[in-house]
Amino acid sequence: MSDTSKTAHLTIGDSTYELPIYTPSTGPDVIDIRQLYSQAGVFTYDPGFTSTAACDSTITFIDGDKGELLHRGYPIDQLAEKSHYLEVCFLLLYGYLPKADELENFEKTITQHTMIHEQMHNFFRGFRRDAHPMATMVGVVGAMSAFYHDSTDINNPREREIASHRLIAKMPTIAAMAYKYSIGQPFVYPRNDLDYAANFLHMCFAVPAEEYQVDPILARAMDRIFTLHADHEQNASTSTVRLASSSGANPFACIAAGIACLWGPAHGGANQACLEMLKEIGTPDRIPEYIARAKDKNDPFRLMGFGHRVYKNFDPRATVMKQSADEVLDLLGVENNPVLATAKELEKAALADPYFAEKKLFPNVDFYSGIILEAMGFPTSMFTPVFALSRTVGWISQWKEQLADPQMKIGRPRQLYQGETMRDYVDIESR
Ligand code: SDX
């Protein structure tokens, strides 16, 4: 814990309470309210955790006003340009950029864990073919604890590390199998001669009937999407993983909980919702109608891919993603993609509209990721599974960090109770 030389004073009635203030390495100061209830008999109220630091962390820092995202201190735009996903995984897991031999060993370990237990193939066949791949991923990842119980002892550091490697390695295989199953094609086994992103594309798009060559530009774009989604401080799904972990649940159960939370359209499901919105808008001439709906308080419609709880400036990931979108669409000769044309016009119209400027609503990471994934040939139902695959390293890094925190306690928030006070039971005859 950083220095507590500063103190906050809270006065309630004629009592004043002293609350320690912690100064982080960067970002806003934090007031420690842990003793507030025992000292003053009051709770604080923050249902969306807009002003609540739920943990200590050294992994990722976001400055929403500057549009900054750092992983272990390294800016996301530098990592997206100079690094690659498995190196970022090492950085998030271990806290430093690996030397060449460390990286080689790590990549070899991940590569050799990419297959899943053959018995798990039967799981997929128990789902309907038209099940959403996220439903399949929640089920299969949760079931991993039934197959890999030799890495579920959360008090054993070696088992924690093996579980981390297994999850990072097997998530692309599981996501690809969910996709293949949904389109009635045979599963494609991982290949150790391909790198992480190329292997995922090969498992998704190869068929036994012919050779499938992964285009290196698409593999690079895929790897960049993985990197841009790897971790993001204490977002909803990461907080879900931390809360599940605080009860002592095994790593596979915790990650399955994170996948379930990410699925929501306000969170990781936004990339699918964004593309469906762009297709519903159809042509740029209908953009004003949708902008008006997004501003109408009586209309629940929101511009998917816009806005963010923390970023009140451009999401730095969206900036990189936009560059990638142009590269991929140029390569695939779909630079005239009507969806991209609508996306670019929508972005221009929204950024020029005072409503979005006042509310600091900018395109977020989900705005362009869907366009790239669609151009690559993924159906919209696979957009969030790709996000979940990418975010697994963030979830598991935060999970490991929390388990190593001596201050860790089971997460158990309280409430502002507005219900009935005590009253006696009424027999049915008297109601
Ligand atoms: C992700 O937390 C993370 O880090 C998440 C993530 C990660 O990497 O883990 O970055 C990934 O989830 C990105 C966000 C993807 N979601 C979307 O694109 C869905 C559309 N966005 C909104 O639902 C919304 O912006 C949220 C959920 C992202 C953030 O909502 P907040 O912070 O709770 O803000 P709010 O709902 O209180 O909105 C503030 C105001 C409201 O107007 P008023 O009530 O003040 O008049 O802004 C308006 C909202 O109506 N608003 C929007 C809007 N988002 C907010 N209006 C129109 N379109 C939008 N997209």
Side-chain angles (χ1 to χ4, degrees), residues 6-24:
K6 294 183 275 189
T7 306
H9 294 85
L10 176 65
T11 299
I12 302 173
D14 47 18
S15 303
T16 298
Y17 304 92
E18 289 199 347
L19 302 171
I21 295 179
Y22 304 130
T23 303

Side-chain angles (χ1 to χ4, degrees), residues 62 232 235-237 265-268 270 294 297 301-312 315 317 355-356 359 361 364-366 387 391:
I62 301 171
H232 210 240
N235 58 85
S237 52
H267 188 14
K297 283 282 148 264
F301 172 79
R302 288 193 165 184
L303 285 185
M304 291 290 110
F306 275 78
H308 198 278
R309 170 62 60 77
V310 177
Y311 289 122
K312 301 309 173 191
D315 180 337
R317 302 167 297 175
Y355 173 90
F356 294 90
K359 294 193 182 295
L361 300 175
N364 57 45
V365 67
D366 295 299
F387 194 152
R391 185 53 57 86

Side-chain angles (χ1 to χ4, degrees), residues 325-343:
D326 289 337
E327 281 170 24
V328 167
L329 295 172
D330 288 349
L331 169 84
L332 298 175
V334 289
E335 61 276 9
N336 302 318
N337 177 319
V339 170
L340 181 68
T342 303

